[in-house]
Amino acid sequence: MVDSELRQVGEFMKKRTKIIIACTSVVALVTLGLFGAGLYFYQVAVVPAPKSFLSKSHRISRNNPQYSAHQWYQHVTKKRWYEVSATRHLILDANYISAAKPTQKTVLIAHGFMGNKDKMFAYAYMFHRLGYNVLLPDARGHGDSQGNYIGYGWPDRLDYVKWIKKVIATNGSNSQIVMFGTSMGGAATMMVSGVSDLPKQVKAFVEDCGYTDVYDEVAYQAKELYHLPKFPLVGIVSLINHAKNGYSFKQASALNQVKKNQRPMLFIHGAKDHFVPTKMVYPLYRADKGPKQLLIVPGASHADSYQKHPTLYRDTVKQFLAKYVK
């Protein structure tokens, strides 16, 4: 009887061991698969490279409404400015364009995801016509700046503070500075607004179609582009990014930064934005603590508001900034 019971126990233990081994193998395979997927989407989301989901640049023809701005940008005198990033000692590159008449007013223009300074020519022209000096930096990992990852505005916010201080050092302590950005640059603009030691010379912000935080935006794109749920993939990509680049996607929050802002901010978003969904602008606007205004541009898709309604856009920016920049 004892031998029979021992054999039964032995068979049970063998079966249990096989089940544990099988389950462990499945868990290991799933974990390996998720990590592999995380590494793939890290490449898609964070490594600077051509992205299939972004629209390709088109040649600016004579009948394009932006033709005059493009021609101006091609021929205007541009000074090359350089700065060292706030972390990792990367060499950052920018174009500086002086106003037509001497002024203390300068706008810093932040470009979007996989953009660069030269793609912001239309906004540079707009602000130049409003009488501003214009500074157009390339974010780390973009354009002519060094870097092998996309910061989504978070590490870049400290780089932009260094650019702001460079403007003050170059143009004088009486400088009046506006920060403007679209998409990732809009998020960076909001992220800068919450920096504790931001120089007093920064008088106002204008953000166009920025996101609430990087986690929300990457999760939204994972669903829209690849029909994937945010859990657990976005968290895995965030962990990889934190290990490689020192910040998590939830940490990179424009929403948390505008909660600390006391300075004027104009929020702009296209009514038909399906890349950074229009609904993101409302919690951002509500959270901001300073003087503020919200413009929802009818019929505009992502980063398309100025091209869609240039007069409305320019006049709104002009009237808003006239209250705070003299």
Side-chain angles (χ1 to χ4, degrees):
M1 186 70 178
V2 174
D3 289 342
S4 176
E5 290 177 349
L6 287 173
R7 280 195 299 272
Q8 289 178 358
V9 170
E11 289 174 2
F12 173 77
M13 292 302 294
K14 286 179 182 178
K15 289 180 181 178
R16 185 171 180 270
T17 302
K18 288 180 180 178
I19 292 171
I20 292 172
I21 291 172
C23 290
T24 302
S25 299
V26 170
V27 170
L29 286 172
V30 170
T31 301
L32 188 62
L34 287 171
F35 184 72
L39 285 174
Y40 172 78
F41 282 103
Y42 173 84
Q43 294 289 322
V44 172
V46 183
V47 175
K51 309 296 181 183
S52 60
F53 53 85
L54 295 179
S55 60
K56 304 296 185 290
S57 297
H58 299 289
R59 186 173 178 271
I60 307 296
S61 61
R62 285 183 178 274
N63 60 352
N64 190 308
Q66 296 183 346
Y67 181 77
S68 296
H70 188 259
Q71 288 298 298
W72 167 82
Y73 185 77
Q74 294 300 308
H75 297 101
V76 71
T77 300
K78 296 179 281 288
K79 296 178 182 177
R80 208 73 176 268
W81 281 20
Y82 299 97
E83 186 56 89
V84 179
S85 63
T87 59
R88 302 205 172 182
H89 304 289
L90 304 170
I91 303 301
L92 305 177
D93 185 279
N95 282 339
Y96 179 83
I97 302 169
S98 297
K101 298 179 181 179
T103 181
Q104 296 295 327
K105 300 190 301 183
T106 301
V107 62
L108 188 159
I109 296 179
H111 63 74
F113 180 87
M114 290 313 302
N116 60 57
K117 57 184 179 292
D118 295 333
K119 291 182 179 180
M120 303 300 282
F121 66 88
Y123 303 104
Y125 186 53
M126 179 186 77
F127 279 103
H128 181 78
R129 293 177 70 189
L130 292 177
Y132 284 77
N133 305 309
V134 180
L135 178 63
L136 299 131
D138 280 331
R140 55 176 73 189
H142 292 74
D144 296 313
S145 290
Q146 294 179 345
N148 60 0
Y149 68 100
I150 297 167
Y152 283 97
W154 188 246
D156 313 285
R157 78 194 191 287
L158 303 179
D159 298 340
Y160 288 125
V161 172
K162 292 194 72 173
W163 284 118
I164 287 166
K165 291 179 179 178
K166 191 177 186 74
V167 169
I168 297 167
T170 304
N171 293 353
S173 60
N174 291 327
S175 292
Q176 299 182 80
I177 299 171
V178 172
M179 184 165 177
F180 168 90
T182 62
S183 193
M184 184 181 81
T189 297
M190 291 184 281
M191 291 171 183
V192 168
S193 77
V195 173
S196 59
D197 61 344
L198 192 64
K200 64 181 181 180
Q201 286 85 352
V202 178
K203 302 301 181 184
F205 301 94
V206 180
E207 79 84 22
D208 184 346
C209 62
Y211 37 78
T212 48
D213 63 45
V214 178
Y215 186 94
D216 287 346
E217 178 59 15
V218 173
Y220 175 80
Q221 292 303 328
K223 181 180 179 182
E224 289 295 304
L225 297 175
Y226 303 101
H227 308 292
L228 293 170
K230 63 182 177 182
F231 181 83
L233 184 61
V234 179
I236 292 170
V237 179
S238 179
L239 284 172
I240 295 170
N241 187 69
H242 190 274
K244 285 178 170 285
N245 304 318
Y247 73 95
S248 71
F249 287 169
K250 279 198 173 294
Q251 181 185 7
S253 173
L255 183 61
N256 288 339
Q257 290 296 96
V258 295
K259 289 177 181 177
K260 297 181 278 187
N261 177 48
Q262 301 287 334
R263 305 185 206 200
M265 186 175 300
L266 171 60
F267 296 81
I268 302 173
H269 220 104
K272 294 186 177 180
D273 193 337
H274 301 298
F275 194 80
V276 176
T278 309
K279 65 181 181 180
M280 282 193 178
V281 74
Y282 298 108
L284 290 163
Y285 177 74
R286 288 194 298 267
D288 188 81
K289 305 300 183 187
K292 56 190 175 182
Q293 183 177 339
L294 173 62
L295 172 64
I296 303 297
V297 180
S301 57
H302 184 64
D304 186 47
S305 294
Y306 183 38
Q307 188 168 359
K308 199 77 174 178
H309 291 284
T311 302
L312 170 66
Y313 195 104
R314 182 185 63 249
D315 289 351
T316 302
V317 169
K318 179 181 179 180
Q319 291 164 16
F320 181 80
L321 293 180
K323 302 173 189 175
Y324 310 107
V325 184
K326 307 302 179 184

Coordinates of all heavy atoms in Angstrom, one line a residue, residues 59-76 121-126 128-129 306 314:
R59 N 7.3 69.7 -52.6 CA 7.9 70.9 -53.1 C 6.9 72.0 -53.1 O 5.8 71.9 -53.3 CB 8.4 70.6 -54.6 CG 9.2 71.7 -55.2 CD 9.7 71.3 -56.5 NE 10.4 72.4 -57.2 CZ 9.9 73.3 -57.9 NH1 8.6 73.3 -58.2 NH2 10.6 74.3 -58.5
I60 N 7.5 73.2 -52.6 CA 6.6 74.4 -52.5 C 6.5 75.0 -53.9 O 7.5 75.7 -54.4 CB 7.2 75.4 -51.5 CG1 7.4 74.6 -50.1 CG2 6.3 76.6 -51.3 CD1 6.2 74.1 -49.5
S61 N 5.4 74.9 -54.6 CA 5.2 75.5 -55.9 C 4.8 76.9 -55.8 O 4.4 77.4 -54.7 CB 4.2 74.7 -56.7 OG 3.0 74.7 -56.0
R62 N 4.8 77.6 -56.9 CA 4.4 79.0 -56.9 C 3.0 79.3 -56.5 O 2.6 80.3 -56.0 CB 4.6 79.6 -58.3 CG 6.1 79.8 -58.7 CD 6.3 80.5 -60.0 NE 7.7 80.8 -60.3 CZ 8.3 81.8 -60.0 NH1 7.7 82.8 -59.3 NH2 9.6 82.0 -60.3
N63 N 2.1 78.3 -56.8 CA 0.7 78.5 -56.4 C 0.4 78.1 -55.0 O -0.8 78.2 -54.5 CB -0.2 77.8 -57.4 CG 0.1 76.3 -57.4 OD1 1.0 75.8 -56.8 ND2 -0.8 75.5 -58.1
N64 N 1.4 77.6 -54.2 CA 1.2 77.3 -52.8 C 1.2 78.6 -52.0 O 2.0 79.5 -52.2 CB 2.4 76.4 -52.4 CG 2.2 75.8 -51.0 OD1 1.9 76.5 -50.0 ND2 2.4 74.5 -50.9
P65 N 0.2 78.7 -51.1 CA 0.1 79.9 -50.3 C 1.3 80.2 -49.5 O 1.6 81.4 -49.1 CB -1.1 79.6 -49.3 CG -1.9 78.6 -50.1 CD -0.9 77.8 -50.8
Q66 N 2.2 79.2 -49.2 CA 3.4 79.4 -48.4 C 4.6 79.7 -49.3 O 5.7 79.7 -48.7 CB 3.6 78.1 -47.6 CG 2.6 77.9 -46.5 CD 2.9 76.7 -45.6 OE1 3.7 75.9 -45.9 NE2 2.2 76.6 -44.5
Y67 N 4.4 79.9 -50.6 CA 5.5 80.1 -51.5 C 6.3 81.3 -51.1 O 7.6 81.3 -51.1 CB 5.0 80.2 -52.9 CG 6.1 80.4 -53.9 CD1 6.9 79.4 -54.3 CD2 6.4 81.7 -54.4 CE1 8.0 79.6 -55.3 CE2 7.4 81.9 -55.4 CZ 8.2 80.8 -55.8 OH 9.2 81.1 -56.7
S68 N 5.6 82.4 -50.8 CA 6.3 83.7 -50.4 C 7.2 83.5 -49.2 O 8.3 84.0 -49.1 CB 5.3 84.8 -50.2 OG 4.7 85.1 -51.4
A69 N 6.6 82.8 -48.2 CA 7.3 82.5 -46.9 C 8.6 81.7 -47.2 O 9.7 81.9 -46.7 CB 6.4 81.9 -45.9
H70 N 8.4 80.7 -48.1 CA 9.5 79.8 -48.4 C 10.6 80.5 -49.1 O 11.8 80.3 -48.8 CB 9.0 78.6 -49.2 CG 10.0 77.5 -49.5 ND1 10.7 77.4 -50.6 CD2 10.4 76.5 -48.6 CE1 11.5 76.4 -50.5 NE2 11.4 75.8 -49.3
Q71 N 10.3 81.4 -50.1 CA 11.3 82.2 -50.8 C 12.0 83.1 -49.8 O 13.2 83.3 -49.9 CB 10.6 82.9 -51.9 CG 10.1 82.0 -53.1 CD 11.3 81.4 -53.8 OE1 12.2 82.0 -54.3 NE2 11.3 80.0 -53.7
W72 N 11.2 83.7 -49.0 CA 11.9 84.6 -48.0 C 12.9 83.9 -47.1 O 14.0 84.3 -47.0 CB 10.8 85.2 -47.1 CG 11.4 85.9 -45.8 CD1 11.9 87.1 -45.8 CD2 11.5 85.3 -44.5 NE1 12.3 87.4 -44.5 CE2 12.1 86.3 -43.7 CE3 11.1 84.1 -44.0 CZ2 12.4 86.0 -42.4 CZ3 11.4 83.8 -42.7 CH2 12.0 84.8 -41.9
Y73 N 12.5 82.7 -46.7 CA 13.4 81.9 -45.8 C 14.6 81.5 -46.5 O 15.7 81.4 -46.0 CB 12.6 80.7 -45.2 CG 13.5 79.9 -44.2 CD1 13.6 80.4 -42.9 CD2 14.1 78.7 -44.6 CE1 14.4 79.7 -42.0 CE2 14.8 78.0 -43.6 CZ 15.0 78.5 -42.4 OH 15.8 77.8 -41.4
Q74 N 14.5 81.1 -47.8 CA 15.6 80.7 -48.6 C 16.7 81.8 -48.7 O 17.9 81.5 -48.8 CB 15.2 80.2 -50.0 CG 14.3 79.0 -50.0 CD 15.0 77.8 -49.3 OE1 16.1 77.4 -49.7 NE2 14.4 77.1 -48.4
H75 N 16.2 83.0 -48.8 CA 17.1 84.1 -49.1 C 17.5 85.1 -47.9 O 18.4 85.8 -48.1 CB 16.5 85.0 -50.3 CG 16.4 84.2 -51.5 ND1 15.2 83.7 -51.9 CD2 17.3 83.8 -52.5 CE1 15.3 83.0 -53.1 NE2 16.6 83.1 -53.4
V76 N 16.7 85.0 -46.8 CA 17.0 85.9 -45.7 C 18.4 85.5 -45.1 O 18.8 84.3 -45.1 CB 15.9 85.8 -44.7 CG1 15.9 84.5 -43.9 CG2 15.9 87.0 -43.7
F121 N 9.6 77.4 -41.6 CA 9.8 78.6 -42.3 C 8.5 79.5 -42.3 O 8.6 80.7 -42.2 CB 10.3 78.4 -43.8 CG 9.2 77.7 -44.6 CD1 8.3 78.4 -45.3 CD2 9.2 76.3 -44.8 CE1 7.3 77.8 -46.1 CE2 8.3 75.7 -45.6 CZ 7.3 76.4 -46.2
A122 N 7.4 78.9 -42.4 CA 6.1 79.7 -42.5 C 5.9 80.5 -41.2 O 5.5 81.6 -41.2 CB 4.9 78.8 -42.8
Y123 N 6.2 79.8 -40.1 CA 6.0 80.5 -38.8 C 7.1 81.5 -38.6 O 6.8 82.6 -38.0 CB 6.0 79.4 -37.7 CG 5.0 78.4 -37.8 CD1 5.3 77.1 -38.3 CD2 3.6 78.6 -37.6 CE1 4.4 76.1 -38.5 CE2 2.7 77.6 -37.8 CZ 3.1 76.4 -38.2 OH 2.1 75.4 -38.4
A124 N 8.3 81.2 -39.0 CA 9.4 82.2 -38.9 C 9.0 83.5 -39.7 O 9.2 84.6 -39.2 CB 10.7 81.6 -39.5
Y125 N 8.4 83.3 -40.9 CA 8.0 84.4 -41.7 C 6.9 85.2 -41.0 O 6.9 86.5 -41.0 CB 7.6 83.9 -43.1 CG 7.2 85.0 -44.1 CD1 8.1 86.0 -44.3 CD2 6.0 85.0 -44.7 CE1 7.9 87.0 -45.3 CE2 5.7 86.0 -45.7 CZ 6.6 87.0 -46.0 OH 6.3 87.9 -46.9
M126 N 6.0 84.5 -40.4 CA 4.9 85.2 -39.7 C 5.4 86.0 -38.6 O 5.0 87.2 -38.5 CB 3.9 84.1 -39.2 CG 2.7 84.7 -38.4 SD 1.7 83.5 -37.6 CE 2.7 83.1 -36.1
H128 N 8.5 87.1 -38.2 CA 9.3 88.2 -38.7 C 8.5 89.4 -39.1 O 8.8 90.5 -38.9 CB 10.1 87.6 -39.9 CG 11.0 88.6 -40.5 ND1 12.3 89.0 -40.0 CD2 10.9 89.4 -41.7 CE1 12.9 89.9 -40.7 NE2 12.1 90.1 -41.8
R129 N 7.3 89.1 -39.8 CA 6.4 90.2 -40.2 C 5.8 90.9 -39.0 O 5.3 92.0 -39.1 CB 5.4 89.6 -41.2 CG 6.0 89.2 -42.5 CD 4.9 88.5 -43.4 NE 4.0 89.5 -43.9 CZ 2.9 89.2 -44.5 NH1 2.5 88.0 -44.7 NH2 2.1 90.2 -45.0
Y306 N -2.5 76.9 -39.3 CA -2.0 78.2 -40.0 C -2.2 78.1 -41.5 O -2.7 79.1 -42.1 CB -0.5 78.4 -39.7 CG 0.1 79.7 -40.2 CD1 -0.7 80.8 -40.2 CD2 1.4 79.7 -40.7 CE1 -0.2 82.0 -40.7 CE2 1.9 80.9 -41.2 CZ 1.1 82.0 -41.2 OH 1.6 83.2 -41.7
R314 N -2.8 84.2 -37.7 CA -1.9 85.3 -37.4 C -2.5 86.4 -36.6 O -1.9 86.9 -35.6 CB -1.5 85.9 -38.8 CG -0.5 87.1 -38.7 CD -0.2 87.7 -40.0 NE -1.4 88.3 -40.6 CZ -2.0 87.9 -41.7 NH1 -1.6 86.8 -42.3 NH2 -3.1 88.5 -42.2

